[in-house]
Amino acid sequence: MDSSSLSPNPFDHQKTQNTEPKKSFITSLMTLRSNHFKEDTYFLSELKPTEQKSLQELKDKLSASSFGNSSMWGVSLLGGDVKADVILLKFLRARDFKVTDSLRMLDKCLEWREEFKAEKLTEEDLGFKDLEGNVAYMRGYDKEGHPVCYNAYGVFKERDMYERVFGDEEKLNKFLRWRVQVLEKGVKMLHFKPGGVNSIIQVTDLKDMPKRELRVASNQILSLFQDNYPEMVATKIFINVPWYFSVIYSVFSPFLTQRTKSKFVMSKEGNAAETLYKFIRPEDIPVQYGGLSRPTDSQNGPPKPASEFSIKGGEKVNIQIEGIEGGATITWDIVVGGWDLEYSAEFVPNAEESYAIVVEKPKKMKASDEAVCNSFMTVEAGKLILSVDNTLSRKKKVAAYRYTVRKSTTVV
């Protein structure tokens, strides 16, 4: 039997100082998000009369073209289905509801999908097993139900890896096909219905990314996605952004539409967890980014929800998990974004004559450390105390934990 109920007040805060660091101009710029992007609902009743007219005109012109019987992602574009309307509206929105431009974009996309054999792409084995879960992968959902796609190209800073994947044009094309395959898997998770989840979240890790070497691949990926997957991304989050990127962004920002800029979120190096927690629950965030999600978790069904908390600079927090019976086994996960603090765990029996048991000695956690996962079998009833000591830091940090208690099945 499992139990995960929290004690009435599991947190014991011991504050020794409360000094928050001043934000520099660069810090403010890197964590700035433009006005929140408002995703289309795709309800026809919410369209302007001119937009409804454009949708009908697009259908009429598509019907008269050679692509009249075409489908995308298993949806017939002229089948009268609301899913088809959602797809067509994406192409219209991408071209500001200009029917001729939207039809041209749609025609080119259909030609590309046929040539690329995109409809059956998710069934192919392209031989990039070592890149799955590292370079580009779908993992979990955000708080609004959008599937999340993670991208990290830092592994290609190693010359051998770079040559193996991008060494010649044939290898590059195979990688591009694999990268589109990852996106296709994400698109197939969408609802394509009014009021549903009709776009994904992209998280791009810029740490150690060899920009010069990956310029060709990056440009081709960007071009493929822009031309063939319109309005498929609700939010694009950049994490571990180098300091100089803020200068680059300030240069090209004036050339971006407000709609495009409102989808961008940029977070400087060391702030990945703080940023991602705003959009994604910790149990769905990969452990390398300050979350609790491991690649093998999916084998055990949906992730167990975690409790979020924060630790101010100069503060120590004790999480008390009470009501644990003798002979029970408690298993827990805990993480603090960008750790750089001390962590420990102890079990305190209820009996006054018993001694506290050190389960995990105080340990200085490095910024790169992933979530702690541990378990402890009790001999007698008591409580587990998880301590995180941030008294030597001035920075406020986000954190999360979860636990299960399995009672003993031994019959006395």
Side-chain angles (χ1 to χ4, degrees):
M1 180 177 179
D2 289 344
S3 171
S4 58
S5 57
L6 300 180
S7 59
N9 182 16
F11 296 102
D12 175 18
H13 297 259
Q14 300 174 16
K15 187 185 301 182
T16 59
Q17 64 180 33
N18 186 19
T19 12
E20 296 288 343
K22 293 183 179 180
K23 291 188 176 181
S24 67
F25 170 74
I26 291 295
T27 300
S28 301
L29 179 60
M30 298 304 285
T31 55
L32 173 67
R33 185 179 191 192
S34 305
N35 293 330
H36 191 282
F37 167 70
K38 184 178 181 181
E39 188 177 2
D40 286 344
T41 64
Y42 296 97
F43 284 109
L44 298 185
S45 59
E46 296 184 6
L47 294 177
K48 300 175 183 177
T50 54
E51 294 173 341
Q52 294 182 16
K53 181 181 178 182
S54 294
L55 176 60
Q56 187 57 51
E57 286 182 10
L58 180 59
K59 290 180 180 180
D60 293 341
K61 290 191 175 185
L62 180 61
S63 178
S65 74
S66 58
F67 292 106
N69 295 321
S70 299
S71 63
M72 280 184 176
W73 303 295
V75 178
S76 173
L77 296 180
L78 294 177
D81 194 316
V82 292
K83 291 186 175 182
D85 287 343
V86 171
I87 294 173
L88 294 176
L89 283 169
K90 286 180 178 292
F91 283 88
L92 283 166
R93 174 67 71 185
R95 292 295 180 265
D96 296 323
F97 282 87
K98 296 175 182 177
V99 177
T100 301
D101 293 346
S102 300
L103 180 62
R104 185 181 301 113
M105 182 185 190
L106 179 57
D107 285 350
K108 288 183 177 180
C109 177
L110 288 167
E111 288 177 0
W112 172 80
R113 291 187 67 80
E114 184 176 350
E115 178 184 345
F116 205 76
K117 296 180 173 57
E119 288 297 323
K120 296 184 178 180
L121 184 55
T122 56
E123 302 170 11
E124 293 185 27
D125 182 359
L126 297 172
F128 286 103
K129 296 296 182 183
D130 56 334
L131 300 187
E132 294 177 5
N134 294 308
V135 173
Y137 53 98
M138 302 301 303
R139 176 81 65 82
Y141 302 84
D142 77 345
K143 294 179 179 179
E144 297 178 352
H146 299 96
V148 183
C149 180
Y150 292 88
N151 308 274
Y153 299 105
V155 294
F156 297 121
K157 68 179 179 179
E158 301 295 336
R159 194 67 193 177
D160 290 345
M161 174 67 84
Y162 175 83
E163 289 294 336
R164 185 168 69 80
V165 178
F166 303 108
D168 54 44
E169 187 174 356
E170 182 181 351
K171 291 178 179 179
L172 173 59
N173 289 335
K174 189 176 181 181
F175 173 81
L176 292 175
R177 189 166 182 77
W178 174 78
R179 184 59 191 84
V180 172
Q181 182 187 62
V182 175
L183 181 57
E184 282 285 319
K185 291 178 180 178
V187 171
K188 287 194 173 184
M189 298 168 72
L190 303 181
H191 300 159
F192 289 123
K193 68 177 183 180
V197 175
N198 299 305
S199 58
I200 68 173
I201 301 294
Q202 287 267 13
V203 177
T204 300
D205 183 359
L206 297 182
K207 186 176 182 179
D208 296 328
M209 180 177 174
K211 298 175 183 60
R212 181 177 301 175
E213 293 85 346
L214 287 181
R215 185 174 299 160
V216 174
S218 298
N219 289 342
Q220 290 194 38
I221 292 172
L222 182 61
S223 178
L224 280 174
F225 288 3
Q226 285 184 337
D227 294 342
N228 302 293
Y229 297 90
E231 296 296 311
M232 289 296 183
V233 177
T235 305
K236 190 165 183 62
I237 305 172
F238 297 90
I239 58 176
N240 292 318
V241 178
W243 65 268
Y244 55 80
F245 191 82
S246 60
V247 179
I248 299 173
Y249 179 74
S250 66
V251 173
F252 70 75
S253 176
F255 301 98
L256 300 174
T257 65
Q258 185 59 39
R259 182 176 179 83
T260 298
K261 288 191 290 186
S262 67
K263 296 181 182 182
F264 288 177
V265 177
M266 289 183 288
S267 176
K268 70 184 181 70
E269 190 167 358
N271 279 19
E274 180 183 352
T275 300
L276 294 178
Y277 273 44
K278 295 175 182 177
F279 301 91
I280 308 168
R281 289 197 52 79
E283 63 267 20
D284 281 320
I285 297 173
V287 288
Q288 63 266 35
Y289 299 132
L292 298 173
S293 176
R294 296 178 173 86
T296 55
D297 288 351
S298 59
Q299 301 172 6
N300 303 317
K304 178 178 173 56
S307 298
E308 297 180 41
F309 64 102
S310 61
I311 314 168
K312 294 180 180 179
E315 186 175 58
K316 180 177 180 180
V317 173
N318 294 323
I319 301 169
Q320 302 190 37
I321 303 172
E322 301 180 330
I324 305 173
E325 298 178 0
T329 298
I330 179 168
T331 302
W332 68 94
D333 297 274
I334 185 169
V335 67
V336 178
W339 288 91
D340 194 25
L341 48 69
E342 192 172 85
Y343 159 75
S344 62
E346 68 174 351
F347 181 77
V348 180
N350 291 339
E352 293 183 1
E353 66 274 12
S354 297
Y355 294 96
I357 301 171
V358 176
V359 179
E360 293 183 279
K361 295 180 180 179
K363 177 184 177 182
K364 180 63 181 293
M365 306 299 291
K366 300 189 297 294
S368 59
D369 284 338
E370 297 180 351
V372 168
C373 179
N374 206 350
S375 62
F376 177 72
M377 179 180 288
T378 65
V379 176
E380 53 186 315
K383 62 183 178 181
L384 182 73
I385 301 177
L386 307 177
S387 299
V388 281
D389 188 345
N390 197 36
T391 54
L392 298 181
S393 172
R394 299 171 56 198
K395 183 178 180 180
K396 181 179 179 180
K397 300 171 184 178
V398 295
Y401 77 101
R402 62 185 175 187
Y403 69 91
T404 58
V405 178
R406 184 173 288 105
K407 296 181 180 180
S408 173
T409 56
T410 303
V411 178
V412 180

